[in-house]
Amino acid sequence: MSTRRAILAAGGVLVVLLAILAWKARSGGEMTPTAAVTQAPAPAITAPAPVASASGTAAAPALPSAGSADVVDDQGRPQPVPLPPGANPPPLDGKHSEPAPPQKAFTPAEVIAKREADLKLLDDTKTRLEKDLEAAKTAHDATTAHDLEIRIARLTDLRKRRSTELDQLKGSAQ
Amino acid sequence: MNNAKLLLALAVAACTESADTQKPDTQTPADLLITGTDKGVTGSLGETTFKSEMATDDVLDIQVHINGMVMTALVNFKSGVIEYDGYTESTGENTQMTDEDRAAMVRLEHALAKVPAGAPFAVEKLRSFVATEAEHPTTVDLQDIRLTAENRSWTSLCYAKNTYYHASHDCDTGGFWIDATTLDDVWLSSTGDLGGPDGVAWYFGAGGTYQACSGSYSCSRYNVSIPSAGWYTGIEVDHDTRVEYSYGNCFGVCGAGCPGTYQFTVDCVNHDQCVRNGHITSSGYCDDQFSAASDDWAYAPDCGA
């Protein structure tokens, strides 16, 4: 009985941990704007601990660095580095271009016309790939044939879905 | 589009690491190989393979096999329709873009960026597509349709190159053009990576404490101290209303960083601003900026370096 209770307790703890993890995964630490800046005591720009690619914010590897040594604080957080004298930044009073006109949304009729063109694109592509598949089979190119079979199957499913979506668009446009 | 019959064999050094410094069992193929076909090009970079061909005079068909995944783009330039798809290579099942996939796309982007200017149309489009997909968020479906037209779905900013332009994002919650989500002065240029997490520099009008954020999983906010007014790099400014100036890492160019072509567009400068001003590349807060920019690579002109 006590063993079962222990297992239940452990399970409970696990559920709580998973819930916390899920919550953190959802909310992360990423903030929507609040811009609440307080003039807190300025933390010193700490030790220039050279860190290879201070991970920063990009999930993908950072693009090649221009060679400046990234600086992080004792918690591994990137710290500001003045641009070197030869960096030649743009002048603060440089020209400011006028905004481009707002993008104009497609009308329902334009959307339907493009959706019809899309169905033709999918049909033509499927026909073309089926010819390629025949050629691959004739050439006993199993890898290419496999790739084409998968792509044709997905195109076929997609064509059905796009057709349904177009019917719905036409229905709602009437 | 007149690249038929062009037989192109490019071997471009795609890796800066010398092969002789690597152990044989960890060595990866470093060369980008591009071969011309009747309708376009095929090629490879290590285990990644790709094909970019004009299926007809109006239709471009791109396929990239990367990291066990297939990504495709069908572009009809005449009707203004793009169909995207992405799926597991072995089974054809739906999949999502992961950090590893984005990293693999960035590697391919870097390799393609070294292809000299004046490459065939199919190569130019391939590298623009790869550069854009290198920023594809995990939470945006790989299968998608885009309806396109100039000044409707994409707007070129060639006229604004080497000037300041404003940029904004909405954190996926409808907050466009409020102070905290807007930079008034983004310098659109081909200036490359200036270091730091996003490769950009920021101008701070006075010394003091400012909001920054960092993290590979999400952009967690913290304060940084700026000793005096000036341009700084090394950090990602996080929605701080007192910072308006930024430049570097091809800010405003479609794709991750500097992909070798320079398509400055409204949607791409807004997406850059989202992922460089408070959100990570894969952030769900920038999903709509990514989707809005996801057709620009196919149509927008190259404004040149």
Side-chain angles (χ1 to χ4, degrees):
Chain A
M1 199 62 178
S2 61
T3 304
R4 187 175 297 169
R5 197 169 294 150
I7 291 171
L8 281 172
V13 169
L14 192 61
V15 167
V16 169
L17 283 173
L18 284 172
I20 291 170
L21 275 175
W23 178 81
K24 284 194 85 72
R26 192 173 182 283
S27 62
E30 206 162 287
M31 312 252 179
T32 48
T34 56
V37 179
T38 54
Q39 290 292 333
I45 298 177
T46 43
V51 168
S53 123
S55 83
T57 58
L63 294 168
S65 171
S68 67
D70 291 347
V71 176
V72 297
D73 65 7
D74 54 5
Q75 296 178 58
R77 299 177 306 194
Q79 296 297 304
V81 179
L83 272 185
N88 196 25
L92 295 178
D93 61 352
K95 184 185 171 190
H96 202 290
S97 288
E98 289 297 309
Q103 291 178 350
K104 194 175 142 196
F106 292 111
T107 65
E110 287 172 328
V111 170
I112 286 170
K114 283 185 179 291
R115 285 288 191 147
E116 284 172 341
D118 174 57
L119 292 187
K120 184 173 185 318
L121 173 65
L122 294 174
D123 288 340
D124 292 348
T125 302
K126 186 179 173 189
T127 301
R128 174 169 56 86
L129 295 182
E130 284 171 341
K131 283 182 188 167
D132 291 348
L133 177 59
E134 283 301 308
K137 285 180 175 172
T138 302
H140 303 290
D141 183 347
T143 303
T144 301
H146 172 260
D147 291 346
L148 285 165
E149 282 169 349
I150 285 178
R151 194 170 175 207
I152 290 167
R154 289 188 66 88
L155 273 175
T156 304
D157 288 345
L158 182 62
R159 169 67 168 78
K160 285 179 193 161
R161 198 162 79 241
R162 297 286 185 243
S163 179
T164 303
E165 291 168 355
L166 179 57
D167 289 342
Q168 290 169 347
L169 282 169
K170 285 178 174 174
S172 61
Q174 287 173 350
Chain B
M1 298 181 199
N2 186 20
N3 59 356
K5 304 288 184 188
L6 176 65
L7 191 65
L8 178 73
L10 290 171
V12 179
C15 184
T16 55
E17 190 170 5
S18 171
D20 60 11
T21 64
Q22 295 180 316
K23 294 176 184 175
D25 61 344
T26 59
Q27 186 170 352
T28 55
D31 284 349
L32 174 69
L33 180 67
I34 303 176
T35 305
T37 67
D38 280 350
K39 297 176 180 176
V41 293
T42 63
S44 62
L45 176 72
E47 293 183 356
T48 296
T49 62
F50 50 81
K51 183 191 282 188
S52 176
E53 293 186 324
M54 293 302 297
T56 70
D57 286 346
D58 301 321
V59 176
L60 174 68
D61 188 350
I62 293 178
Q63 299 164 62
V64 178
H65 292 242
I66 192 162
N67 209 30
M69 178 173 72
V70 181
M71 300 192 66
T72 65
L74 272 173
V75 184
N76 189 323
F77 292 101
K78 190 174 181 183
S79 62
V81 176
I82 304 179
E83 280 284 4
Y84 293 107
D85 202 3
Y87 49 90
T88 306
E89 186 173 34
S90 57
T91 64
E93 291 174 357
N94 290 334
T95 187
Q96 290 175 295
M97 185 71 92
T98 64
D99 288 349
E100 291 75 22
D101 300 329
R102 276 185 290 273
M105 293 296 275
V106 166
R107 282 194 291 275
L108 181 56
E109 177 192 354
H110 287 171
L112 290 168
K114 294 188 169 81
V115 174
F121 182 79
V123 176
E124 295 286 353
K125 291 294 115 179
L126 172 70
R127 71 171 161 193
S128 296
F129 168 72
V130 168
T132 295
E133 293 303 316
E135 297 188 300
H136 196 121
T138 303
T139 44
V140 171
D141 283 345
L142 293 171
Q143 194 171 69
D144 193 16
I145 180 174
R146 307 302 301 175
L147 309 182
T148 69
E150 185 172 9
N151 299 326
R152 312 289 291 275
S153 67
W154 63 271
T155 303
S156 174
L157 287 177
C158 283
Y159 74 90
K161 197 178 91 174
N162 294 323
T163 71
Y164 286 111
Y165 195 78
H166 62 180
S168 188
H169 68 277
D170 69 350
C171 300
D172 219 22
T173 55
F176 257 118
W177 303 115
I178 63 172
D179 200 6
T181 61
T182 301
L183 290 178
D184 292 336
D185 305 285
V186 174
W187 186 258
L188 304 185
S189 74
S190 55
T191 301
D193 190 333
L194 295 170
D198 300 308
V200 300
W202 305 90
Y203 181 78
F204 297 86
T209 303
Y210 291 83
Q211 290 173 178
C213 69
S214 84
S216 56
Y217 177 68
S218 64
C219 215
S220 300
R221 185 173 291 169
Y222 62 103
N223 287 337
V224 293
S225 176
I226 299 294
S228 60
W231 286 95
Y232 291 79
T233 183
I235 58 168
E236 174 162 349
V237 171
D238 181 8
H239 297 102
D240 193 308
T241 57
R242 296 165 300 162
V243 179
E244 299 294 347
Y245 289 89
S246 185
Y247 85 107
N249 209 9
C250 293
F251 213 129
V253 170
C254 298
C258 298
T261 48
Y262 300 90
Q263 296 170 294
F264 292 90
T265 71
V266 167
D267 295 329
C268 290
V269 72
N270 286 339
H271 178 258
D272 275 352
Q273 191 259 346
C274 189
V275 299
R276 295 173 176 187
N277 194 192
H279 304 292
I280 60 170
T281 302
S282 58
S283 173
Y285 288 116
C286 301
D287 280 1
D288 48 354
Q289 272 69 61
F290 174 83
S291 293
S294 66
D295 61 318
D296 296 22
W297 66 271
Y299 299 91
D302 185 349
C303 308

